[in-house]
Amino acid sequence: MRVLDLSRVIAGPVAGRTLAAHGAEVLRVGSANLPEVPGLVVETGFGKRSCDVDLRTEPERLRELVGAADVVLRAYRPGALETLGFGVEDLVRMRPGIVVVDISAYGVTGQWAGRRGFDSLVQMVSGIANHEGRPHPLPCQALDHATGYLAAFAAVAGLTHRAEQGGSWHADLSLARTAWWLDELGQTAPAEDRQEPQTEDLLDRMDSAFGELTFVRPPGSIEGAEPYWATPPPRPGEHAPVW
């Protein structure tokens, strides 16, 4: 399965990285005009290839990639790609049978639809950051990572529906909705003798263009098939925009 990863920072890249661990051919499409967080480029790049495409001057390159893709992950501000001719309906016309998975901060309906946002902001507005009696972000970007895994699951669900029923499929996810879901799960009181978790058996190492990397292996398995990343993270734009 071919996955176009049109995303930055954490949630979308985690989705693409997860699909890569389960055997998908993932091509991350970025632009030299967009800022990146260097550490996250490395951390979320396992198993992917990376190319640059400037949609303002060479949109035909992305159209060619879409025409041979199975899944498109989109994680820019709602409406941003529509203005450039890469909305959901545009993608379906380019590639009937495509599975499109969208990730945003606040979703595509309601008064905050279309607003920019990121994990820590959504923690604040959703109230998760206030569980200790004062605004205090979680010690990790839990909404980003959880939404990334859910987006990968949505892509697999869309591919399953396509195989069984045909057609094109579209999923919408938002950090705010993930926050609501996580909050509904409830909380447990911390153990009085809580200790730091042991992680040695969860780690692995791999050589890369960035040096030797120590990383957490992808979790879980599907029917006994252990996920893994076949390649290290690439440098941004290292590859040509071709499958």
Side-chain angles (χ1 to χ4, degrees):
M1 292 295 174
R2 290 173 168 173
V3 178
L4 274 180
D5 182 355
L6 309 181
S7 66
R8 297 167 55 239
V9 192
I10 300 179
V14 164
R17 184 186 66 182
T18 302
L19 294 171
H22 290 281
E25 180 182 356
V26 181
L27 179 61
R28 193 263 181 171
V29 181
S31 171
N33 301 315
L34 294 174
E36 298 283 0
V37 181
L40 293 177
V41 168
V42 178
E43 203 266 337
T44 62
F46 286 92
K48 304 178 185 180
R49 291 185 297 125
S50 174
C51 70
D52 283 343
V53 176
D54 189 337
L55 296 186
R56 298 170 299 181
T57 60
E58 48 183 5
E60 69 283 353
R61 289 187 178 274
L62 186 57
R63 293 192 189 102
E64 292 173 358
L65 293 172
V66 171
D70 295 288
V71 175
V72 176
L73 299 173
R74 306 192 313 164
Y76 290 98
R77 177 178 55 83
L81 289 173
E82 278 74 3
T83 61
L84 296 169
F86 294 93
V88 175
E89 294 182 358
D90 301 312
L91 297 173
V92 171
R93 283 193 292 269
M94 295 176 205
R95 174 42 169 115
I98 198 77
V99 175
V100 181
V101 179
D102 282 337
I103 301 172
S104 62
Y106 303 107
V108 294
T109 60
Q111 296 181 347
W112 283 30
R115 285 197 181 193
R116 292 177 174 87
F118 53 89
D119 191 313
S120 298
L121 281 179
V122 179
Q123 289 181 33
M124 293 291 182
V125 301
S126 66
I128 279 184
N130 197 43
H131 280 307
E132 295 181 0
R134 59 184 178 86
H136 185 71
L138 300 174
C140 67
Q141 301 298 92
L143 307 185
D144 267 330
H145 286 274
T147 303
Y149 285 118
L150 290 172
F153 178 80
V156 173
L159 291 170
T160 302
H161 290 322
R162 187 181 76 175
E164 295 174 347
Q165 304 174 42
S168 303
W169 296 83
H170 179 213
D172 274 317
L173 298 95
S174 70
L175 303 186
R177 185 62 185 87
T178 299
W180 185 8
W181 172 63
L182 291 175
D183 200 35
E184 287 179 323
L185 297 178
Q187 300 180 62
T188 57
E192 294 182 0
D193 59 346
R194 181 174 56 182
Q195 300 177 350
E196 287 296 318
Q198 300 299 309
T199 61
E200 288 77 6
D201 60 337
L202 305 177
L203 303 179
D204 210 337
R205 290 178 173 81
M206 183 184 293
D207 289 327
S208 76
F210 306 96
E212 185 182 66
L213 303 175
T214 300
F215 60 95
V216 179
R217 293 193 302 273
S221 64
I222 297 178
E223 295 184 351
E226 295 291 335
Y228 69 96
W229 293 303
T231 58
R235 295 187 184 277
E238 178 178 328
H239 301 95
V242 294
W243 289 111

